[in-house]
């Protein structure tokens, strides 16, 4: 199929923002980019000056299938991703069964090809069953197609095991995606430890529960030479340690999520369980440190952090309510509103955070850029108008959000995967 996207505004180098371009798509690839293109038998779509970006790539997403299809499944999560401008998403390994062998990897890849409207890339688990006791079959999962290894939102308590995982991963040059939490410190905490938790009478999770594990994993990465990626950074101390690691030339990258720079712990006042996430929302000081890390390039990527759960499990007493957030359909608009509209970063920098850098970290060489020969995974956005976040209209089964009712800018008009409009 041949398609030409006419009159596109492109905001990333080497294109001029003063011109309008046409993008010719053939066979799922970008075949040409230029002005006033015409190709015989090509279908034309006039975008009337709308901005076209490379599709977003989500580095931290819980799909839930297999095993938890009542919460989310491949079909619903891919529709939700497409609505949010994500043309590629990753699958955390804490499914049921856990992604700790090639059979589960092959199942997810084959079912995704059959049912998903976006690209889905599985992570393999670091440890068997994500239990943190024995190394999983990383080599066979690499051969089956995983793009990274992770234990999802579980953690490996044993430094010896983590060191061995890092050593083993170097054989395959796979990034290690780490959730950093010392549960001997976080314990039964349900929100950030501090003044707000004390006022609400809730047990807290201190910053050092994250920061100690970040420090340990960076040290082990330095010793082993592994590619370490810190997931959902939430504290200023974590940003500081990643900054230091980068200065020393270590292979350390990190991500954060929109709720960690758009909300503080005050969002849980009135015992709002929709703002109960892990890591927890932190203080304004932490938010400012994360914003600084985004602006100066220390934070490499923005992930959605999509972690769906049932509304029934959210509508409980705060201490017993489930952690989780439905985030695929709000990640771009929240990021655009909080970062670009306020002048903290440019739209081109947001593209780096949500497209280019995730593609580089995961080695998705055909993704993350608008260039001839690259996959035609593109999104068309509207930057002028505003809209209200309405979770009841989400394509995800998790129809809730701590951002419900907020007015935001940045709307995805079309999502194109492999040259095909999917949303």
């Amino acid at each position: 199929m041949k398609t030409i996207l006419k009159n596109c505004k492109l905001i990333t180098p080497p294109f001029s923002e003063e011109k309008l371009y046409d993008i010719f798509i053939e066979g799922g690839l970008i075949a040409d980019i230029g002005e006033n293109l015409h190709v015989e038998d090509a279908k034309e779509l006039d975008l009337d000056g709308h901005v076209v970006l490379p599709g977003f790539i989500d580095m931290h997403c819980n799909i839930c299938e297999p095993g938890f299809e009542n919460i989310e499944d491949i079909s619903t999560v891919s529709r939700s991703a497409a609505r949010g401008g994500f043309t590629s998403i990753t699958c955390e390994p804490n499914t049921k069964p856990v992604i700790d062998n090639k059979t589960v990897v092959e199942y997810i890849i084959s079912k995704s090809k059959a049912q998903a409207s976006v690209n889905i890339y599985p992570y393999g688990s670091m440890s068997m069953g994500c239990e943190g006791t024995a190394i999983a079959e990383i080599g066979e999962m690499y051969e089956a197609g995983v793009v990274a290894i992770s234990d999802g939102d579980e953690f490996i308590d044993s430094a010896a095991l983590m060191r061995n995982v890092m050593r083993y991963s170097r054989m395959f040059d796979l990034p290690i995606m780490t959730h950093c939490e010392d549960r001997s410190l976080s314990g039964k905490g349900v929100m950030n430890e501090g003044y707000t938790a004390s006022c609400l009478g809730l047990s807290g999770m201190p910053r050092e529960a994250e920061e100690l594990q970040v420090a340990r994993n960076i040290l082990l990465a330095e010793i082993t030479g592994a590619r370490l990626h810190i997931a959902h950074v939430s504290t200023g101390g974590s940003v500081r340690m990643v900054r230091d690691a980068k200065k020393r030339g270590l292979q350390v990258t990190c991500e954060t999520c929109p709720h960690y720079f758009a909300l503080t712990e005050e969002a849980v006042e009135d015992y709002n369980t929709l703002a109960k996430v892990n890591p927890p929302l932190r203080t304004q000081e932490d938010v400012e440190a994360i914003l600084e890390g985004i602006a100066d390039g220390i934070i490499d990527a923005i992930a959605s952090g999509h972690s769906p759960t049932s509304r029934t499990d959210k509508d409980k007493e705060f201490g017993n309510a489930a952690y989780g957030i439905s985030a695929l359909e709000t990640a771009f608009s929240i990021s655009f509103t909080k970062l670009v509209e306020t002048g903290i970063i440019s739209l081109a920098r947001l593209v780096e955070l949500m497209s280019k850098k995730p593609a580089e970290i995961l080695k998705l060489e055909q993704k993350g850029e608008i260039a001839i020969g690259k996959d035609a995974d593109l999104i068309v956005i509207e930057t002028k108008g505003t809209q209200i976040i309405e979770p009841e209209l989400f394509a995800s089964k998790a129809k809730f959000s701590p951002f419900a009712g907020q007015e935001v800018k940045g709307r995805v008009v079309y999502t194109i995967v492999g040259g095909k409009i999917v949303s």
Side-chain angles (χ1 to χ4, degrees):
M1 182 176 175
K2 300 177 182 179
T3 304
I4 299 179
L5 306 180
K6 304 288 290 185
N7 300 312
C8 308
K9 184 176 182 181
L10 304 179
I11 55 89
T12 54
F15 307 107
S16 169
E17 294 188 38
E18 306 303 316
K19 297 180 180 180
L20 294 180
Y21 296 88
D22 297 343
I23 302 174
F24 172 43
I25 299 169
E26 184 177 23
L29 302 176
I30 298 173
D32 197 7
I33 303 171
E35 298 177 73
N36 302 311
L37 296 181
H38 177 74
V39 177
E40 192 74 25
D41 300 325
K43 177 183 177 182
E44 296 187 355
L45 177 61
D46 191 347
L47 297 181
D48 194 28
H50 277 85
V51 176
V52 178
L53 306 177
F56 301 141
I57 300 168
D58 194 0
M59 298 185 68
H60 196 95
C61 176
N62 286 275
I63 289 178
C64 301
E65 185 178 354
F68 305 99
E69 289 88 346
N70 61 309
I71 295 174
E72 194 80 281
D73 59 46
I74 286 173
S75 179
T76 58
V77 78
S78 64
R79 292 201 304 271
S80 182
R83 283 194 185 182
F86 290 96
T87 55
S88 298
I89 61 176
T90 54
C91 178
E92 292 289 343
N94 49 324
T95 50
K96 188 177 181 181
V98 168
I99 307 174
D100 61 6
N101 61 80
K102 68 177 182 179
T103 301
V104 184
V105 175
E106 291 167 351
Y107 168 83
I108 290 173
I109 290 174
S110 63
K111 191 158 188 182
S112 297
K113 288 180 179 178
Q115 295 188 0
S117 55
V118 300
N119 307 294
I120 296 181
Y121 297 97
Y123 290 164
S125 65
M126 291 187 280
S127 66
M128 295 298 297
C130 290
E131 294 177 351
T133 56
I135 297 179
E137 294 291 343
I138 296 172
E140 71 171 30
M141 290 189 291
Y142 169 76
E143 294 294 335
V146 300
V147 296
I149 54 173
S150 165
D151 267 5
D153 290 340
E154 298 299 325
F155 72 106
I156 291 182
D157 185 56
S158 168
L161 179 62
M162 179 60 84
R163 184 180 64 172
N164 288 339
V165 167
M166 288 187 178
R167 285 173 170 169
Y168 191 25
S169 73
R170 288 196 61 194
M171 295 173 62
F172 314 103
D173 196 29
L174 283 170
I176 300 171
M177 328 301 280
T178 55
H179 168 79
C180 294
E181 179 186 357
D182 186 327
R183 288 187 182 160
S184 70
L185 286 170
S186 60
K188 296 182 179 180
V190 293
M191 66 168 295
N192 184 55
E193 182 180 86
Y195 176 77
T196 302
S198 297
C199 290
L200 294 172
L202 297 172
S203 55
M205 303 167 72
R207 291 182 182 91
E208 51 265 33
E210 175 179 316
E211 293 168 358
L212 279 173
Q213 291 296 316
V214 169
R216 184 200 76 171
N217 290 344
I218 288 175
L219 176 60
L220 292 176
E222 182 173 20
I223 292 169
T224 61
R227 294 174 58 206
L228 174 66
H229 183 81
I230 310 295
H232 42 224
V233 165
S234 73
T235 78
S238 295
V239 175
R240 184 175 62 253
M241 285 185 280
V242 172
R243 178 178 284 109
D244 178 67
K246 287 176 178 287
K247 285 181 180 178
R248 291 188 288 120
L250 304 185
Q251 294 189 87
V252 175
T253 56
C254 71
E255 77 198 31
T256 193
C257 307
H259 39 284
Y260 295 121
F261 57 77
L263 298 173
T264 69
E265 61 184 357
E266 294 179 1
V268 306
E269 289 181 350
D270 298 323
Y271 304 96
N272 178 15
T273 60
L274 302 185
K276 185 179 180 182
V277 291
N278 187 19
L281 302 175
R282 305 290 185 179
T283 66
Q284 184 61 39
E285 180 184 6
D286 294 303
V287 167
E288 290 171 1
I290 289 171
L291 290 173
E292 182 181 354
I294 289 172
D296 65 14
I298 297 304
I299 291 176
D300 299 274
I302 293 175
S304 76
H306 185 68
S307 183
T309 187
S310 71
R311 188 59 192 259
T312 300
D313 287 334
K314 275 291 187 184
D315 292 339
K316 293 182 177 180
E317 178 191 70
F318 195 93
N320 295 322
Y323 293 101
I325 186 169
S326 186
L328 284 167
E329 292 168 66
T330 61
F332 169 62
S333 59
I334 293 296
S335 298
F336 183 84
T337 302
K338 298 295 183 180
L339 300 176
V340 179
E341 281 293 293
T342 57
I344 294 173
I345 61 173
S346 66
L347 180 54
R349 168 65 178 144
L350 185 59
V351 170
E352 289 183 2
L353 288 158
M354 298 186 73
S355 300
K356 186 175 182 180
K357 194 63 178 183
E360 291 177 357
I361 294 169
L362 298 176
K363 292 192 172 182
L364 304 177
E365 296 178 355
Q366 284 294 105
K367 313 292 184 185
E369 294 182 86
I370 298 178
I372 295 172
K374 298 288 187 179
D375 288 345
D377 291 357
L378 306 167
I379 59 172
V380 181
I381 65 166
E382 167 61 58
T383 61
K384 302 298 184 183
T386 62
Q387 71 268 7
I388 303 297
I389 293 176
E390 300 178 89
E392 63 273 15
L393 301 181
F394 286 175
S396 169
K397 291 182 181 180
K399 301 182 188 301
F400 60 84
S401 171
F403 299 108
Q406 288 197 22
E407 185 177 76
V408 291
K409 284 190 173 183
R411 179 176 67 90
V412 177
V413 180
Y414 295 114
T415 297
I416 300 168
V417 179
K420 178 182 177 182
I421 296 176
V422 298
S423 180

